[in-house]
Amino acid sequence: MNVTTKALDVRRRLGAAGMWPRRRIVGETVLALVLALLAGASVLGEGVAWMAGVAVAAAVASLSRRAFPGSVLVLVGAADGVFGGFWAVLMVASWSAGSRIEAPRRALAVFAASYVLCAGVSVQQAHFALSAPQTLLFTTLSFLATAVVPGLASRYRSQRRRLLRALHEHNAQLLREREIIASHARLRERQRIAQDMHDSLGHQLALIAVHTGALEVDRDLTDGQRQAVGVLREASVAAMHELREAVGILHDGTPDRAREREGEGEPAGRGVSGIDGLVTASRGTRAVVELRRTGEVRPLAPAADHAAYRIVQEALTNALKHAPGAPIAVELRYEPDSLVVEVANGPVPTNEGRRPAVSGGQGLTGLQERARLVGGMVHAGAGADGGFRVAGVLPYPGREMTTFGDTTDDFRGQSGGTVPGDGGEVIDWSGPPDRQKEFDIAMGSKKKGVVIGCGAAVLAFVVLGVVAVVFVVKLVGSEADKLMVDPSVYHSVQVGDTEAVVRDKLPHGKSFLAGALNDDAGAPPAPKGATCSSYLSTGDWPDEGSKAPAYRFCFRDGKLIEKRAFMSTS
């Protein structure tokens, strides 16, 4: 990687902050200010310049930890060893590094380098009067609590989120494959149904067309009978054409084009223009059918145009079937915003001697669904005169009108786009949402994962805290045994006693606080050429003030040459 590439990478990482949401920017700013105050307070006695420099360094480290997690962690580890007040910054930097450094070896190397710098600088600085092993042990415990535990918790959280995302995508892929398999099964079944329709209904309709064609030219028929047979023949031919299209749609979703290949013309229009043919065919059955048009003729969308044709066709069929002999009125009213199609029949003259017609009960339901998909509606019910009325309202293209029904249930998937979820988010239709929800429940919620991660972090903090407390207690107890002398021992020794006898009565071992006590400002000047040892008194200490009773023993040439009591200010 050359210099230009590195510069571009740095620019890209720094520019990522420009895409942060407002809440994140505010949070990062507040966090940087808090960390800067904590770091600056650690050097309170070093002057304003030092405080300002340390605070600025902490703020910069906090703001850049996401773009450069490894570098910031190493530098903050070294700064914590120098100042000792970067522990909060170290926690935040390790949290970011744990989740953003993906390669395990690189993460281990970064944390190890940060620890080595932190421990090495701490041993060199010796903020407290501790020996090198004691400083190293204390620094190790502190680094474990402030760097390792947050880094591991953050890494666990990040890996769990990636795992759940991968499993979610895998589950969505399985659901898509299952839907594809089900779709193929439906297509095979549709093809089987289409073949059955072609073999059975096609054959029967062909026979009807042939026989009615032969009957139409029979010389024994009257003109009225011959006209009725012609209507039957035309109906059978139209039914065959519709069956061909239905079979083609069932096969591959496209109409059958056999008529075009055979040179046949298209059947009568199946829109508003074809309603005249429906009325004419109905009159051929000796029914009284009246057609009225009002308003300025307006074009309709293809789907709405076909729906108008189907409404009239179904309504005429029902009227002829259930109310034979009753007058029928078909009306097309072109309103300003929609076309109103109305078919009404009068009451049935008489029911005597007539068998009830067979009905499947699905015709009106299909009309209502067809009209709903184009933004319209269909109403059917008894008329005021005892007859029956079917009315449909179909909008013009590009016109805004009230939707008569829930058009969001688009069973053909024609709406496109996305659908907002309960929380305003966009649902990913890569898999059925209800099944994805079941998957999320089975895998566990995000809150559960956060609770587990936080619980592990708290447990680690508690364990390290207990270890630190035990270490401090033992350290204090050990130092007390090495540094404190009972007043009776001080009074029992006399100047001139041999050093061996006096040393035998004094505490054994070297205390790391003894040097500070020997150099205490309250201690009297030491005799020239003498070796002195100072100890704190176990007697009564003053209730107020910062001074403590202390004893000093000075030796020269193997004898005690001086013992002094003073008030230590250490």
Side-chain angles (χ1 to χ4, degrees):
M1 182 181 293
N2 54 31
V3 178
T4 304
T5 305
K6 289 184 178 180
L8 291 176
D9 182 62
V10 171
R11 181 178 179 181
R12 178 183 59 81
R13 293 187 181 187
L14 293 177
M19 297 183 291
W20 286 356
R22 183 176 302 177
R23 291 180 57 186
R24 184 171 180 181
I25 294 175
V26 173
E28 289 291 330
T29 304
V30 172
L31 179 61
L33 291 176
V34 172
L35 295 179
L37 291 176
L38 291 176
S42 64
V43 290
L44 192 60
E46 301 294 336
V48 178
W50 269 103
M51 291 178 59
V54 171
V56 170
V60 171
S62 175
L63 295 175
S64 59
R65 75 186 191 281
R66 295 177 180 271
F68 312 101
S71 302
V72 171
L73 178 61
V74 173
L75 294 177
V76 169
D80 186 57
V82 175
F83 301 105
F86 270 63
W87 59 270
V89 184
L90 183 61
M91 291 182 66
V92 176
S94 62
W95 176 272
S96 298
S99 59
R100 281 171 171 75
I101 302 178
E102 297 183 359
R105 293 183 178 178
R106 184 169 180 268
L108 180 61
V110 169
F111 275 84
S114 179
Y115 166 72
V116 170
L117 289 177
C118 181
V121 175
S122 296
V123 171
Q124 293 294 327
Q125 292 291 114
H127 296 289
F128 305 101
L130 299 174
S131 61
Q134 292 170 341
T135 302
L136 183 61
L137 178 60
F138 184 80
T139 303
T140 302
L141 293 176
S142 176
F143 190 85
L144 288 175
T146 57
V148 176
V149 172
L152 291 177
S154 175
R155 194 169 187 82
Y156 162 77
R157 176 176 174 270
S158 176
Q159 290 179 345
R160 184 179 185 276
R161 293 177 63 182
R162 285 198 293 267
L163 175 62
L164 287 179
R165 188 182 301 110
L167 292 176
H168 194 279
E169 294 176 355
H170 180 66
N171 183 63
Q173 178 65 24
L174 293 178
L175 292 176
R176 286 194 296 269
E177 293 177 358
R178 186 163 64 181
E179 292 296 329
I180 292 173
I181 294 174
S183 177
H184 288 173
R186 288 193 296 269
L187 289 176
R188 288 195 299 269
E189 184 63 18
R190 286 170 57 181
Q191 292 176 355
R192 185 188 65 79
I193 295 173
Q195 188 64 39
D196 292 344
M197 291 175 60
H198 180 272
D199 295 341
S200 59
L201 294 179
H203 177 69
Q204 300 299 330
L205 289 175
L207 289 177
I208 294 174
V210 171
H211 285 289
T212 53
L215 187 61
E216 188 177 6
V217 297
D218 192 346
R219 298 179 179 179
D220 296 334
L221 295 180
T222 63
D223 292 339
Q225 291 174 337
R226 188 174 290 106
Q227 183 179 4
V229 172
V231 171
L232 289 177
R233 186 184 63 81
E234 292 179 359
S236 63
V237 172
M240 289 180 62
H241 290 325
E242 293 189 8
L243 178 62
R244 284 182 177 181
E245 290 194 1
V247 169
I249 293 175
L250 286 175
H251 266 300
D252 55 9
T254 58
D256 186 16
R257 298 303 180 187
R259 294 190 307 274
E260 299 178 359
R261 295 190 300 267
E262 296 170 2
E264 301 180 13
E266 290 289 337
R270 295 175 188 171
V272 176
S273 60
I275 294 179
D276 291 311
L278 292 175
V279 172
T280 302
S282 299
R283 289 171 180 169
T285 62
R286 299 181 181 181
V288 180
V289 184
E290 181 183 2
L291 176 61
R292 296 191 299 269
R293 285 187 174 90
T294 59
E296 182 182 356
V297 178
R298 300 277 299 276
L300 294 173
D305 193 46
H306 190 57
Y309 177 86
R310 288 301 186 188
I311 291 173
V312 175
Q313 184 185 47
E314 180 68 20
L316 286 176
T317 301
N318 289 342
L320 295 174
K321 183 191 302 182
H322 299 286
I328 304 172
V330 179
E331 185 175 4
L332 303 177
R333 297 198 305 271
Y334 288 91
E335 302 290 345
D337 60 349
S338 61
L339 170 65
V340 178
V341 181
E342 184 175 350
V343 180
N345 62 268
V348 182
T350 179
N351 290 330
E352 294 180 1
R354 187 173 65 88
R355 299 175 60 183
V358 179
S359 176
Q362 302 297 322
L364 292 177
T365 302
L367 291 181
Q368 292 171 352
E369 177 66 15
R370 187 185 294 272
R372 183 189 67 80
L373 291 177
V374 298
M377 66 169 293
V378 171
H379 171 75
D385 58 353
F388 196 80
R389 173 176 172 270
V390 177
V393 181
L394 304 171
Y396 300 133
R399 297 286 298 183
E400 295 183 0
M401 63 174 295
T402 304
T403 300
F404 301 95
D406 182 14
T407 59
T408 58
D409 184 18
D410 187 4
F411 70 96
R412 294 182 182 177
Q414 299 172 350
S415 61
T418 55
V419 180
D422 296 336
E425 74 281 2
V426 175
I427 297 176
D428 180 15
W429 288 102
S430 57
D434 54 341
R435 299 177 186 175
Q436 291 289 358
K437 184 177 180 181
E438 293 176 0
F439 170 79
D440 293 336
I441 294 175
M443 292 304 300
S445 63
K446 295 181 179 180
K447 294 181 179 179
K448 183 178 179 181
V450 173
V451 169
I452 294 176
C454 293
V458 170
L459 179 61
F461 270 113
V462 171
V463 172
L464 291 176
V466 171
V467 172
V469 170
V470 172
F471 169 73
V472 172
V473 169
K474 289 187 175 181
L475 181 62
V476 171
S478 174
E479 291 301 316
D481 294 338
K482 298 176 183 178
L483 192 63
M484 305 194 73
V485 173
D486 190 86
S488 60
V489 175
Y490 175 77
H491 295 296
S492 65
V493 299
Q494 301 296 328
V495 175
D497 293 344
T498 61
E499 183 177 359
V501 173
V502 177
R503 292 285 187 187
D504 189 57
K505 296 180 179 180
L506 297 177
H508 298 281
K510 184 178 180 181
S511 172
F512 65 87
L513 296 177
L517 194 58
N518 289 331
D519 298 333
D520 189 87
K528 187 177 180 180
T531 302
C532 299
S533 298
S534 300
Y535 303 89
L536 293 176
S537 173
T538 59
D540 297 334
W541 287 31
D543 296 334
E544 299 180 357
S546 59
K547 295 183 178 182
Y551 303 123
R552 189 179 69 181
F553 303 89
C554 296
F555 303 92
R556 188 172 55 197
D557 299 332
K559 292 184 178 181
L560 179 65
I561 63 172
E562 179 186 69
K563 66 173 185 176
R564 300 285 295 270
F566 63 96
M567 298 301 293
S568 172
T569 58
S570 298

